[in-house]
């Protein structure tokens, strides 16, 4: 059984588990009234009709990814005849497991946020500072795992330029990168099917990149998550029968960021995550410009009709399907550019 056959089976199994689990999870979430509170001030007014749609559907791909990624890895070891008496041969597994735990821990933070929203019957979950504090703790642990079991490099690799070793400052610099990117993925979850589709593309791109840089073991995780996202989309494409919630988007954010940092190709991470980065940047630009114009002219002005930027396109007449397709195509283009940087720089 070839390595790619194992990966395809892993991805297919994850797709089936995620898709089938929705048959049981969605009615259960309805039963316990875990519906998503909707604030029309944070999105178009017509999103009000989505009020009460079950949230925390991210459990579909979280469960499928964790189960199939670990199973796929051990099948990979068994079929490739890795020397299990060599302790260092387990390091790739520890790295992958560290990425899974890192993603799951962010998913737990998202779950706490979702549960708080549902319990309060409004859209106010954890405070921003509570989220950041929890995310920092988890991020420090993840960076420690990377350093201890695999990547000890502390330089920034942009392909065309590589910085000198930064020592401890590298990890200090990576902390805000993790916080920004994970929350950027969270912001991308604002249109039915958008975050799942863009992340499906990102995981396929990362699979190719992991193969190029000889980190085959990580593809068990990327392919499992790609399959899980696809299974979840059966329930999340417009009109969504279930939302992933912060439970799912935080998991996806940590997964994207974690794989990128494990590969230690920062330009690649920038390109693969560029759709998410632009989403979050649009919010920063909008808020900054509004505050600046309000202070200078006494009245706040906006650059975009609404942010994150997918809402700008929605307010401009784009259907949710068109936004998903457009953003996913952009993800493919940026991802292919990332692959090219690995092959040429």
């Amino acid at each position: 059984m070839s390595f790619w056959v194992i990966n395809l089976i892993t991805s297919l199994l994850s797709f089936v588990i995620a898709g089938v689990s929705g048959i049981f999870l969605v009615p259960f979430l309805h039963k316990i009234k875990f519906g998503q509170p909707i604030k029309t001030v944070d999105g178009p007014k017509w999103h009000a009709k989505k009020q009460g749609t079950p949230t925390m559907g991210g459990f579909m791909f979280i469960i499928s990814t964790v189960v199939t990624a670990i199973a796929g890895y051990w099948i990979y070891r068994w079929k490739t005849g890795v020397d299990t008496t060599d302790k260092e041969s387990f390091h790739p597994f520890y790295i992958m497991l560290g990425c899974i735990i890192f993603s799951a821990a962010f998913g737990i933070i998202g779950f706490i946020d979702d549960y708080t929203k549902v319990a309060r019957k409004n859209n106010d979950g954890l405070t921003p500072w509570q989220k950041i504090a929890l995310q920092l703790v988890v991020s420090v642990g993840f960076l420690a795992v990377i350093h201890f079991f695999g990547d000890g490099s502390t330089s920034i690799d942009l392909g065309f330029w590589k910085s000198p070793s930064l020592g401890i400052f590298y990890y200090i610099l990576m902390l805000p990168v993790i916080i920004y990117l994970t929350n950027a993925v969270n912001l991308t979850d604002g249109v039915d099917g958008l975050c799942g589709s863009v992340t499906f593309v990102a995981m396929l791109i990362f699979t190719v990149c992991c193969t190029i840089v000889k980190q085959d073991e990580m593809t068990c995780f990327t392919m499992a998550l790609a399959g899980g996202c696809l299974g979840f989309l059966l329930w999340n494409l417009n009109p969504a029968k279930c939302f992933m919630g912060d439970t799912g988007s935080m998991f996806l954010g940590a997964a994207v960021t974690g794989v990128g940092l494990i590969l230690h190709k920062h330009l690649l991470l920038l390109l693969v995550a560029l759709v998410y980065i632009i989403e979050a940047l649009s919010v920063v630009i909008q808020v900054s410009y509004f505050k600046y114009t309000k202070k200078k002219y006494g009245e706040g002005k906006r650059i975009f009709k609404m942010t994150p930027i997918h809402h700008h396109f929605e307010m401009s007449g784009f259907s949710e399907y068109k936004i998903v397709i457009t953003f996913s195509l952009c993800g493919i283009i940026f991802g292919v550019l990332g692959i090219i940087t690995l092959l040429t720089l």
Side-chain angles (χ1 to χ4, degrees):
M1 186 184 296
S2 72
F3 165 66
W4 281 108
V5 171
I6 295 172
N7 264 337
L8 287 173
I9 292 175
T10 297
S11 184
L12 179 61
L13 185 59
S14 183
F15 165 75
V16 171
I17 292 174
V20 172
S21 65
I23 298 174
F24 307 97
L25 182 61
V26 173
F28 175 72
L29 292 172
H30 268 298
K31 183 178 180 180
I32 62 177
K33 301 182 188 295
F34 269 31
Q36 175 71 45
I38 301 292
K39 267 188 177 180
T40 54
V41 70
D42 295 329
K45 292 181 179 179
W46 53 85
H47 278 206
K49 65 184 180 181
K50 300 182 182 185
Q51 178 83 23
T53 302
T55 188
M56 302 190 203
F59 279 118
M60 295 182 203
F61 55 75
I62 292 175
I63 294 171
S64 69
T65 298
V66 173
V67 171
T68 58
I70 294 175
Y73 174 82
W74 285 107
I75 293 173
Y76 164 78
R77 282 182 69 100
W78 172 46
K79 287 297 183 180
T80 54
V82 176
D83 182 9
T84 55
T85 62
D86 180 12
K87 291 184 178 180
E88 289 193 6
S89 71
F90 285 94
H91 284 192
F93 174 69
Y94 296 145
I95 289 290
M96 188 190 76
L97 185 61
C99 191
I100 291 174
I101 294 174
F102 173 59
S103 303
F106 265 72
I108 291 171
I109 295 171
F111 171 76
I112 296 171
D113 192 43
D114 282 334
Y115 185 82
T116 305
K117 291 175 184 177
V118 172
R120 293 176 179 174
K121 301 298 181 184
N122 61 42
N123 214 34
D124 297 321
L126 294 172
T127 67
W129 287 112
Q130 287 174 330
K131 281 185 185 179
I132 291 174
L134 291 170
Q135 291 170 353
L136 281 173
V137 171
V138 175
S139 300
V140 168
F142 175 65
L143 290 173
V145 169
I146 293 178
H147 177 79
F148 188 79
F149 288 112
D151 182 17
S153 173
T154 58
S155 62
I156 295 175
D157 187 354
L158 296 179
F160 55 86
W161 176 79
K162 193 171 183 179
S163 76
S165 180
L166 301 177
I168 189 65
F169 294 104
Y170 170 79
Y171 300 105
I172 294 174
L173 182 61
M174 287 303 107
L175 286 175
V177 170
I178 293 174
I179 301 302
Y180 180 90
L181 285 183
T182 51
N183 286 288
V185 175
N186 184 34
L187 287 171
T188 306
D189 182 34
V191 168
D192 294 352
L194 180 58
C195 192
S197 298
V198 173
T199 305
F200 169 73
V201 169
M203 287 300 121
L204 291 183
I205 296 294
F206 272 142
T207 298
V208 176
C209 296
C210 287
T211 305
I212 293 173
V213 300
K214 311 293 185 190
Q215 292 204 34
D216 293 340
E217 294 86 352
M218 278 304 300
T219 61
C220 296
F221 176 70
T222 57
M223 286 295 283
L225 185 50
C229 285
L230 205 56
F232 173 71
L233 286 172
L234 296 176
W235 300 91
N236 187 238
L237 286 175
N238 185 259
K241 301 174 185 67
C242 187
F243 297 143
M244 68 173 66
D246 283 3
T247 304
S249 60
M250 286 290 186
F251 179 91
L252 295 183
V256 170
T257 309
V259 174
L261 291 180
I262 286 171
L263 293 178
H264 204 92
K265 300 292 182 181
H266 302 92
L267 178 60
L268 171 67
L269 176 58
L270 174 68
L271 289 169
V272 174
L274 195 52
V275 170
Y276 309 118
I277 292 170
I278 292 172
E279 287 270 37
L281 191 60
S282 69
V283 177
V284 174
I285 293 172
Q286 183 90 319
V287 172
S288 300
Y289 186 71
F290 184 87
K291 288 182 177 179
Y292 168 75
T293 53
K294 187 173 184 178
K295 183 177 181 180
K296 186 170 183 178
Y297 304 109
E299 181 182 358
K301 298 181 181 180
R302 294 174 173 83
I303 296 175
F304 306 104
K305 293 180 179 179
M306 186 175 283
T307 57
I309 199 168
H310 57 256
H311 285 321
H312 171 82
F313 287 102
E314 198 175 3
M315 299 287 283
S316 299
F318 278 57
S319 69
E320 295 194 30
Y321 273 117
K322 190 172 182 179
I323 293 171
V324 169
I325 293 170
T326 302
F327 280 47
S328 297
L329 285 174
C330 288
I332 293 172
I333 294 170
F334 297 147
V336 169
L337 289 175
I339 293 172
I340 292 173
T341 64
L342 286 185
L343 296 174
T344 59
L345 295 178

